[in-house]
DNA sequence: ATAAAAACTGCACCGTAAGTACAGTACTAA
DNA sequence: TTAGTACTGTACTTACGGTGCAGTTTTTAT
């Protein structure tokens, strides 16, 4: 028999696919347990309720995404010492990554949670908040390094700039989904990259 | 007794408030009819099902937003003949408008619908798609006028630029909601404005 | 004034899904 | 061998979306 945490992960895998395809509410527990080959009782052994599942889903999703960002950051750091180039390479790699996902980026569980207030407990919202604040911190540091070495050609707040990365990704995903144009998000990232370039880069 | 379309609008009003506050799924028909002071049968007289309600909600929301955009476009057109300045003023007005909404922008019903695939019928998705394509067209025209008069300082697609307006708004709303920072969206619009400026404006 | 259409009310009922309760069972590590 | 972990099975409750339909009030056109 499975190792316990095995089953838990299997539940999360199946739930994640279903949630990204149909939305959280549209995904029934009974459908999840059927897919995971367990019983309803088994599900409730692992998760107190659907909220707890959402929480776990967000936490796991954020963790995966963080590792992905870490990977891109490491690759861009390896390619240059210049803090501005680091950002530009990072954004390029990010765009490429989004482009190469055949089905488009799976879409962000976080955003989907943002638009469902009652259903979700405080714990879910807290998980969500942690995620977004984590991104802010990450990108803030990248832009602060660039600012220290290059003049800003327009007076903008570094914090806002950091948030813009997340906003463009999230907004891009919403649009991509709404229009069924999977690579829209990647193109939006490249526009953001263009902005960063114009904002920091010395002029010819 | 009310005039029929009165009741329908009352249902939409109450539904809209509830949906923006709690999400669509979390808003029960029973709660809507209680608020609108009608019976369940009365609700189903006006709307075939919950899908039809969503559709009506999106259509009405889009209409309101279109009028709002029209108003801002008219005001900025009145202030200048220069196509670039028109965009910059438009974005400034938009940011101000978002800032002055005490509770922050109500959040976009469209985005909320994007993340719930099964629940919604094709009609709902079509309404959504129409909305997003409408925005694309609107902003595309504005940017095309600017491009005809100013050099682009970075080779980007006008279509993508048009989508960026929507993406930044949508993404801004997601972030604002997740972090409970109502004016985040306005600041993101101003960043986009800064990009447009750097992208088109002749350098000193 | 009247008839027809529109805008409802009231009530009974069905299916689905979340969640509860709890007794029983199989596997697993000390 | 025993205690905990990881479940199964069954039965039940509640909430919600939705149906069906007969009856009632209100509005509108003639």
């Amino acid at each position: 028999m499975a190792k316990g945490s095995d089953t838990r992960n299997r539940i999360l895998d199946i739930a994640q696919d279903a949630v990204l395809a149909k939305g959280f509410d549209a995904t029934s527990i009974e459908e999840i347990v059927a897919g995971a080959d367990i019983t309803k009782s088994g599900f409730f052994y692992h998760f107190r309720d659907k909220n707890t599942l959402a929480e776990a889903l967000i936490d796991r999703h954020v963790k995966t995404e963080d590792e992905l960002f870490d990977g891109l950051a490491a690759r861009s750091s390896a390619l240059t010492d210049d803090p501005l180039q680091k950002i530009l390479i990072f954004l390029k790699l990010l765009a490429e990554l989004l482009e190469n996902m055949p089905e488009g980026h799976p879409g962000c569980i976080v955003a989907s949670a943002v638009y469902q207030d009652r259903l979700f407990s405080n714990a879910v919202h807290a998980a969500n908040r942690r995620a977004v604040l984590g991104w802010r911190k990450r990108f803030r540091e990248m832009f602060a390094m660039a600012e220290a070495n290059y003049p800003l050609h327009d007076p903008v707040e570094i914090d806002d700039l950091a948030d813009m990365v997340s906003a463009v990704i999230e907004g891009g995903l919403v649009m991509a989904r709404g229009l069924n144009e999977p690579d829209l998000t990647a193109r939006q990232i490249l526009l953001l990259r263009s902005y960063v370039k114009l904002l920091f880069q010395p002029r010819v």
Side-chain angles (χ1 to χ4, degrees), chain A residues 102-160:
Chain A
E103 293 292 295
H105 186 275
C108 199
I109 294 202
V110 172
S112 124
V114 163
Y115 279 107
Q116 310 193 8
D117 261 23
R118 173 224 60 155
L119 184 70
F120 290 131
S121 65
N122 287 336
V124 175
H125 284 114
N128 227 327
R129 207 180 139 79
R130 268 199 312 279
V132 181
L133 286 174
W135 301 338
R136 172 181 284 177
K137 185 163 173 279
R138 170 189 294 274
F139 298 125
R140 200 202 181 287
E141 281 162 14
M142 292 175 78
F143 285 117
M145 291 284 284
E147 195 198 17
N149 289 272
Y150 290 89
L152 265 175
H153 293 138
D154 206 25
V156 299
E157 291 293 327
I158 292 296
D159 281 329
D160 291 339

Side-chain angles (χ1 to χ4, degrees), chain A residues 91-92 94-96 98-99 164-176 179 181-196:
Chain A
L91 290 175
K92 190 77 204 286
L94 180 58
E96 271 172 21
L98 288 169
E99 210 168 14
M164 198 180 197
V165 180
S166 306
V168 167
I169 294 175
E170 294 295 341
L173 292 173
V174 170
M175 302 268 301
L179 290 176
E181 294 185 14
D183 57 340
L184 191 148
T185 314
R187 294 201 308 271
Q188 290 301 313
I189 301 281
L190 290 178
L191 276 190
L192 174 60
R193 184 176 179 277
S194 153
Y195 177 36
V196 173

